[in-house]
Amino acid sequence: MPIATVNPANGETLETFDALGEEETERRLAAAHAASLSHRTTPFAERAALLNRAADLLDADQDDIARTMTLEMGKPLAAARAEAAKCAKAMRWYADRAEGLLADEHPSDDDVRDSGAVRARVHYRPLGVVLAVMPWNFPLWQVVRFAAPALMAGNVGLLKHASNVPRTALYLEDLFRRAGFPEGCFQTLLVGSAAVEAILRDDRVAAATLTGSEPAGRSVASTAGDTIKKTVLELGGSDPYVVLPSADVAKAAGTAVTARTQNNGQSCIAAKRFIVHTDVYDEFAARFTEGMRALKVGDPLEEGTDIGPLASEQGRTDLEELVDDARARGAEVLCGGGRPEGLGGGLENGWFYAPTVLAGITSEMRVHREETFGPVATLYRVADLDEALSIANDSPFGLSSNVWTRDHAEMDRCVTELAAGGVFFNGMTASHPALPFGGVKRSGYGRELAGHGIREFCNVTTVWYGPGSDDA
């Protein structure tokens, strides 16, 4: 894939970029290594001041960077602004809390004595240079939720961003530079996917984090395993959205529309499989379908647009194939099911797909097992909670989940039995700096955000003081 900004709303190529050569890549690796040796020793207060400055700059740049994201990957402008604001919030969250999250931990006096020590503590140290391989769907947020904790922990970052969001990638490097971070602390590498293995194998790179597809995750994990380097992977998701009889059905259906179509449906944590108890199925299906049908599809730069284009032509093709397969195997199309008509104004050349609801899903259909990365929802009718949990867990993914019920016994069962990294009751899955984020099964491993995320790329160091250590 060329490194280029292509407007997905009309297919127009706006700018192309040359990939870094070996000499420039080497220069940047050397700069990152040098920065890691000095940045790791800076006080938390100094790091926090720099990160807060980056947040202030991002707030000031909000309109411009939002437009850049929309032009590169097609999310509605309002959503792009919200993403920028969320990133600034996360920066401030880590700037305020990192020192406390990484404070030394002290075992109990009894355990210290039992270990034969006079004193002992657990100390967190940065690993060094962390390579981040990031996707296009949240081109700011995916990076910041890695970069903010990593920089505050004393690590430095190398960003290999998706090839279709180069302007956003370069903006991020410039943002941290303008904030005052020393040279080499955060750099963007405009390189293709083929260059990732050699960079990760370099001894100066200590660890890697990847958000993206299963194949990309396998590739990075394989290389990291071969070189024995720490990784965090956040891969796909096909999150269940379970609605049980005690739910507020009107609220559940309204929230479901947003949960499925956030970011034009291109979100790993978007609800994708809607599993509804038969007692409330008909009401939910009618309300949900009505809400999906009412969404405005159009130019993402226009205020009021709900659904913009998919980020790539291949992405739309993949979605079409999943829907066509389900239709051929007997699925009922309640709304959508194809490309929207009558957009005009050059948008007919864009990569749009209509909000779609499919019912009557069976296990033979590809959509039952594969992730639909676009505004396509699948509906299941179930007889009871047992069946709902069975279908919810019948997926290779386990990122998050949503359950609508007022029954606390049902809540307890879902917490115990749902195979997912998150269970959200009576609301939709969302990421927040204070809450750990990640999945199980083929959705990956490790956690981002919260204290768990900042500690992922730290050397958890046991410090033990034997008898005589406290002598004058």
Side-chain angles (χ1 to χ4, degrees):
M1 175 186 289
I3 301 174
T5 294
V6 181
N7 185 352
N10 57 23
E12 178 186 356
T13 299
L14 302 178
E15 189 175 6
T16 59
F17 298 80
D18 293 329
L20 296 182
E22 290 184 9
E23 183 176 338
E24 179 60 16
T25 300
E26 165 58 27
R27 189 192 71 77
R28 289 174 178 251
L29 278 165
H33 176 64
S36 73
L37 299 179
S38 58
H39 185 61
R40 65 186 297 119
T41 64
T42 57
F44 279 105
E46 182 177 325
R47 299 174 201 168
L50 295 172
L51 196 59
N52 276 320
R53 174 61 177 157
D56 292 342
L57 291 169
L58 180 53
D59 279 339
D61 295 343
Q62 185 180 114
D63 287 342
D64 288 340
I65 188 56
R67 182 176 176 84
T68 296
M69 287 190 284
T70 296
L71 285 171
E72 289 200 306
M73 55 71 58
K75 70 174 68 218
L77 199 54
R81 292 193 197 100
E83 181 173 340
K86 183 174 184 176
C87 290
K89 176 181 178 179
M91 289 177 179
R92 295 186 177 102
W93 193 91
Y94 273 108
D96 291 344
R97 294 168 175 81
E99 184 171 9
L101 294 171
L102 296 179
D104 285 355
E105 297 172 7
H106 299 275
S108 70
D109 291 343
D110 287 344
D111 286 335
V112 169
R113 285 191 294 270
D114 192 57
S115 77
V118 294
R119 285 186 293 127
R121 59 192 172 103
V122 177
H123 183 63
Y124 292 96
R125 295 184 287 171
L127 292 182
V129 179
V130 182
L131 173 65
V133 182
M134 293 288 114
W136 46 261
N137 56 336
F138 291 94
L140 269 188
W141 173 240
Q142 302 281 9
V143 178
V144 167
R145 75 185 192 193
F146 145 73
L151 290 168
M152 283 303 302
N155 294 299
V156 304
L158 288 173
L159 170 63
K160 190 287 179 210
H161 218 325
S163 293
N164 61 332
V165 289
R167 288 178 174 177
T168 305
L170 292 171
Y171 168 80
L172 282 157
E173 178 180 84
D174 185 60
L175 174 69
F176 289 113
R177 179 192 60 76
R178 286 187 290 137
F181 281 93
E183 180 185 0
C185 277
F186 187 93
Q187 299 174 90
T188 286
L189 303 178
L190 288 185
V191 296
S193 297
V196 170
E197 180 177 352
I199 294 168
L200 182 51
R201 287 188 179 279
D202 192 290
D203 288 340
R204 291 166 293 187
V205 175
T209 180
L210 177 142
T211 298
S213 68
E214 286 184 68
R218 290 191 188 98
S219 177
V220 165
S222 177
T223 300
D226 190 48
T227 53
I228 314 181
K229 295 180 180 180
K230 176 69 179 290
T231 53
V232 170
L233 302 181
E234 193 266 279
L235 308 177
S238 189
D239 290 3
Y241 190 100
V242 178
V243 184
L244 298 169
S246 63
D248 180 333
V249 177
K251 187 175 181 180
T255 303
V257 174
T258 303
R260 182 63 202 95
T261 61
Q262 58 177 312
N263 206 45
N264 301 337
Q266 300 165 122
S267 170
C268 295
I269 56 169
K272 299 184 176 80
R273 297 176 296 135
F274 296 82
I275 303 165
V276 186
H277 193 283
T278 188
D279 289 355
V280 292
Y281 178 91
D282 290 338
E283 180 185 356
F284 178 89
R287 289 179 180 273
F288 180 47
T289 302
E290 180 183 7
M292 292 284 281
R293 189 183 290 119
L295 294 171
K296 179 183 177 182
V297 180
D299 187 345
L301 288 173
E302 290 186 2
E303 302 292 347
T305 294
D306 298 308
I307 304 292
L310 299 186
S312 70
E313 187 172 17
Q314 185 61 52
R316 183 175 66 179
T317 298
D318 293 343
L319 196 65
E320 288 175 328
E321 290 176 354
L322 288 174
V323 173
D324 290 347
D325 172 79
R327 183 188 284 114
R329 296 176 185 273
E332 181 183 2
V333 180
L334 301 185
C335 70
R339 303 179 185 186
E341 298 178 355
L343 292 178
L347 300 182
E348 63 274 6
N349 297 319
W351 303 315
F352 293 88
Y353 197 83
T356 298
V357 179
L358 303 176
I361 305 302
T362 63
S363 59
E364 292 78 20
M365 300 172 187
R366 288 176 57 196
V367 291
H368 179 69
R369 303 284 295 173
E370 299 181 33
E371 181 180 19
T372 52
F373 219 57
V376 174
T378 54
L379 267 176
Y380 296 79
R381 183 194 294 265
V382 296
D384 51 32
L385 179 56
D386 288 338
E387 187 179 4
L389 289 168
S390 177
I391 292 174
N393 288 332
D394 187 21
S395 169
F397 302 106
L399 192 53
S400 189
S401 59
N402 314 259
V403 181
W404 288 75
T405 178
R406 300 174 187 176
D407 186 316
H408 288 279
E410 291 176 341
M411 291 181 185
D412 290 343
R413 278 198 64 190
C414 290
V415 169
T416 301
E417 298 180 37
L418 278 171
V423 185
F424 284 67
F425 291 106
N426 302 313
M428 59 179 275
T429 296
S431 56
H432 185 280
L435 301 175
F437 181 89
V440 295
K441 299 195 286 187
R442 292 189 190 175
S443 289
Y445 53 75
R447 291 296 180 266
E448 297 177 291
L449 301 177
H452 301 75
I454 196 170
R455 297 183 194 111
E456 285 282 8
F457 295 115
C458 286
N459 174 358
V460 184
T461 308
T462 297
V463 183
W464 187 94
Y465 300 89
S469 300
D470 291 337
D471 291 349

